[in-house]
Amino acid sequence: MSILSIQSSVAYGHVGNSAAVFPLQRLGVEVWPVYTVHFSNHTGYGQWRGPLLPASDVREVITGIEERGAFPGVDAVLSGYQGGEDIGDVILDAVARVKKANPDAIYACDPVMGNAKSGCFVHPAIPVLLRERVVPAADLITPNQFELGFLTETEPETLEDTLDSVDKARAMGPQTVLVTSVLRPDRPEDTIEMLAVNGDGAWIVQTPQLPMKANGSGDVTAALFTAHLLSTGSPAEALGRTASSVFDLLGNTLESGERELQLVQSQESIAHPKMQFEVTQVR
């Protein structure tokens, strides 16, 4: 399996491609990372150094990969935070070129816009770009519950609300939707859920909610779910594997006392998920 991953990069810590590449490699996936930025660290620190790469440079790197004859072997294009419309154009162009070379390839998009605590933290043009152009081109999207609502202009709270919002998102184009950070009001205390939906059904998995916020966890989740979905063909199995690995990763990070995800230390949980959480079909 080969994935073309077009995302940010940091030297210190784990977000974007710096969060996605190693877990994918531990699953045996060939990853070709293309960087949209190369920062010293993620912006959550308030200070960082390094370049935001021009869209023309990102396009040149992708074209160079294409010139090596690699596109027919790409099983998925993966993208995360899109810093501007120009990068969005580059990603969409790459998706079209990959799919022309391999019609079975999928586009997996993490439509990063914000979260329930921080609200929407991207430029106002980004949600419009995602709604009108990016999501309709995607086969798989992995929003959190807040982003799902922002994307579909709804306010999902209950499970039924969330499923209705997913239906609206799927009507935009994607076949499969993974919703992370599902916080329905009737869930047991100190739990959090993920929901996967495609044309065959909907499945939910519940885990303890750990008292922490970890930058890059959404990037890891999107990468793992994409790989597991491609390898198994089953949203339910992909959901169970992803939830297991991400929970152990977050647990190890919390226990370490470190701010950055403990990816290397959690690699066995990524390569060999314990499958400790039950996946339930809800539709």
Side-chain angles (χ1 to χ4, degrees):
M1 186 192 306
S2 299
I3 292 179
L4 177 66
S5 184
I6 309 171
Q7 301 195 58
S8 61
S9 171
V10 294
Y12 176 84
H14 301 290
V15 299
N17 266 333
S18 302
V21 172
F22 178 66
L24 289 172
Q25 290 172 332
R26 283 298 280 123
L27 292 178
V29 177
E30 184 73 64
V31 191
W32 298 318
V34 176
Y35 303 139
T36 55
V37 309
H38 187 55
F39 289 162
S40 55
N41 50 271
H42 68 69
T43 59
Y45 286 94
Q47 292 181 318
W48 65 93
R49 296 179 184 271
L52 174 67
L53 300 178
S56 57
D57 287 351
V58 179
R59 189 187 300 271
E60 281 292 292
V61 172
I62 294 169
T63 298
I65 296 171
E66 182 180 29
E67 289 170 346
R68 302 287 72 78
F71 279 9
V74 174
D75 296 292
V77 178
L78 175 65
S79 73
Y81 170 68
Q82 300 191 11
E85 293 181 73
D86 51 352
I87 292 294
D89 289 338
V90 171
I91 293 171
L92 289 172
D93 179 62
V95 169
R97 288 151 63 186
V98 165
K99 288 194 169 194
K100 183 177 180 179
N102 178 14
D104 292 329
I106 70 166
Y107 173 32
C109 171
D110 185 7
V112 178
M113 288 179 281
N115 56 61
K117 288 186 178 180
S118 304
C120 186
F121 52 61
V122 298
H123 188 278
I126 297 302
V128 177
L129 171 70
L130 291 169
R131 285 191 199 107
E132 295 183 357
R133 300 182 56 210
V134 177
V135 169
D139 302 284
L140 162 65
I141 59 172
T142 61
N144 59 41
Q145 190 178 31
F146 170 83
E147 290 164 339
L148 174 68
F150 213 81
L151 187 65
T152 57
E153 299 179 285
T154 59
E155 295 183 3
E157 292 186 1
T158 67
L159 178 58
E160 286 305 314
D161 289 342
T162 306
L163 287 168
D164 287 345
S165 296
V166 168
D167 288 341
K168 289 181 171 62
R170 292 186 66 242
M172 298 166 70
Q175 167 65 19
T176 305
V177 177
L178 173 71
V179 189
T180 64
S181 300
V182 176
L183 298 168
R184 51 181 171 141
D186 59 342
R187 73 191 190 281
E189 189 176 1
D190 297 324
T191 64
I192 192 168
E193 294 167 316
M194 285 199 292
L195 175 72
V197 184
N198 73 355
D200 297 325
W203 299 265
I204 200 164
V205 64
Q206 186 179 95
T207 71
Q209 184 177 16
L210 298 174
M212 63 181 298
K213 176 184 180 295
N215 293 89
S217 58
D219 302 320
V220 175
T221 301
L224 291 180
F225 186 82
T226 299
H228 288 310
L229 184 65
L230 285 171
S231 65
T232 68
S234 166
E237 187 168 351
L239 182 63
R241 289 174 178 269
T242 301
S244 175
S245 295
V246 171
F247 178 80
D248 284 346
L249 168 62
L250 292 176
N252 291 339
T253 302
L254 179 62
E255 185 178 349
S256 74
E258 297 290 334
R259 177 170 180 170
E260 295 291 343
L261 290 173
Q262 298 298 289
L263 274 183
V264 175
Q265 297 80 356
S266 304
Q267 59 183 295
E268 287 305 313
S269 295
I270 291 168
H272 306 289
K274 296 175 184 175
M275 303 300 285
Q276 67 268 48
F277 303 111
E278 181 181 1
V279 175
T280 304
Q281 188 162 5
V282 291
R283 190 170 70 183

